[in-house]
Amino acid sequence: GIQVEQSPPDLILQEGANSTLRCNFSDSVNNLQWFHQNPWGQLINLFYIPSGTKQNGRLSATTVATERYSLLYISSSQTTDSGVYFCAVGYSSASKIIFGSGTRLSIRP
Amino acid sequence: GAVVSQHPSWVICKSGTSVKIECRSLDFQATTMFWYRQFPKQSLMLMATSNEGSKATYEQGVEKDKFLINHASLTLSTLTVTSAHPEDSSFYICSAPPVQAGGQGNEQFFGPGTRLTVL
């Protein structure tokens, strides 16, 4: 099956810093989503981005499907950005998506 | 829009009992829903695909007789953990893609999760 790798596994930054999270996948995909899991476990949809670039406030994402990777950019980090960020990909006729291992982001005040 | 709810949000039970978890799509219909399990500090692992009106499809290594799935309507799927044991303690999360033309590559929305503790 498809492999999904995220890097870095852990990231500690000062408030105000910028960060880039990466998601590599081993096969063609028809779905790619980025999520933020809050401390209570809820997954928050950040981007649905099987290809191209999107921006939402301080966050933006780019997926280069032909090279099998996606990037999530967080600018001017805030302490509330802390948590685990997951990318998940779908690759078959079924709608299921497979998760990467996540990046744990800690923003220090 | 695209809100998914789960009930209960947490449950504690004795070893050997069965626990039912409900997943509802509140403002859309879903012919397919998905069940995931997440252990502490790990990623989400897909357990099974719940199909409205037909049998669920289980991922490799998931015991279908232990994790019973019923998708009774276009807005409700249930996961029953039968004869639960301490090793079944985990965070269970459901998701659903809204029904739309084509059906492939749909954005998925997740419930808030159910934390199961088996004593």
Side-chain angles (χ1 to χ4, degrees):
Chain A
I2 195 168
Q3 304 297 315
V4 185
E5 296 181 352
Q6 290 187 242
S7 60
D10 296 280
L11 187 58
I12 301 174
L13 298 172
Q14 287 295 125
E15 197 169 24
N18 301 330
S19 58
T20 300
L21 282 58
R22 187 177 180 100
C23 174
N24 291 334
F25 41 95
S26 60
D27 207 342
S28 299
V29 300
N30 57 23
N31 181 355
L32 191 145
Q33 292 183 243
W34 282 98
F35 299 92
H36 176 208
Q37 188 169 37
N38 67 21
W40 299 271
Q42 173 77 62
L43 285 168
I44 309 299
N45 287 39
L46 298 178
F47 294 102
Y48 171 69
I49 187 167
S51 64
T53 297
K54 291 185 178 180
Q55 181 161 3
N56 184 5
R58 295 182 295 104
L59 275 60
S60 64
T62 295
T63 297
V64 184
T66 53
E67 297 186 22
R68 300 180 184 170
Y69 74 88
S70 183
L71 301 174
L72 176 69
Y73 304 97
I74 305 174
S75 63
S76 304
S77 300
Q78 301 175 359
T79 55
T80 51
D81 294 331
S82 296
V84 183
Y85 290 80
F86 289 105
C87 74
V89 304
Y91 60 97
S92 70
S93 58
S95 298
K96 64 182 180 181
I97 57 176
I98 305 300
F99 279 74
S101 54
T103 292
R104 186 172 299 274
L105 177 65
S106 298
I107 304 298
R108 300 289 170 82
Chain B
V3 179
V4 178
S5 71
Q6 278 185 244
H7 178 80
S9 54
W10 58 271
V11 58
I12 302 172
C13 69
K14 293 183 178 180
S15 186
T17 60
S18 294
V19 175
K20 179 184 285 188
I21 303 170
E22 292 186 348
C23 176
R24 292 182 185 271
S25 55
L26 297 185
D27 53 1
F28 66 95
Q29 294 183 330
T31 55
T32 304
M33 292 184 176
F34 301 93
W35 288 95
Y36 293 80
R37 181 168 55 182
Q38 185 180 31
F39 292 107
K41 297 194 182 300
Q42 294 188 21
S43 185
L44 282 77
M45 298 299 297
L46 179 65
M47 298 175 64
T49 302
S50 173
N51 303 300
E52 189 267 336
S54 66
K55 291 183 178 180
T57 306
Y58 291 82
E59 296 299 305
Q60 192 172 7
V62 177
E63 301 175 57
K64 63 179 181 180
D65 294 331
K66 180 166 189 61
F67 298 100
L68 301 180
I69 291 173
N70 183 20
H71 196 142
S73 75
L74 288 173
T75 59
L76 173 63
S77 174
T78 59
L79 169 68
T80 301
V81 183
T82 63
S83 187
H85 288 94
E87 58 265 29
D88 298 322
S89 298
S90 189
F91 190 56
Y92 292 87
I93 312 173
C94 70
S95 73
V99 173
Q100 60 181 288
Q104 293 189 29
N106 296 337
E107 182 175 9
Q108 291 206 27
F109 298 89
F110 283 75
T114 297
R115 197 163 302 280
L116 170 64
T117 302
V118 185
L119 302 177

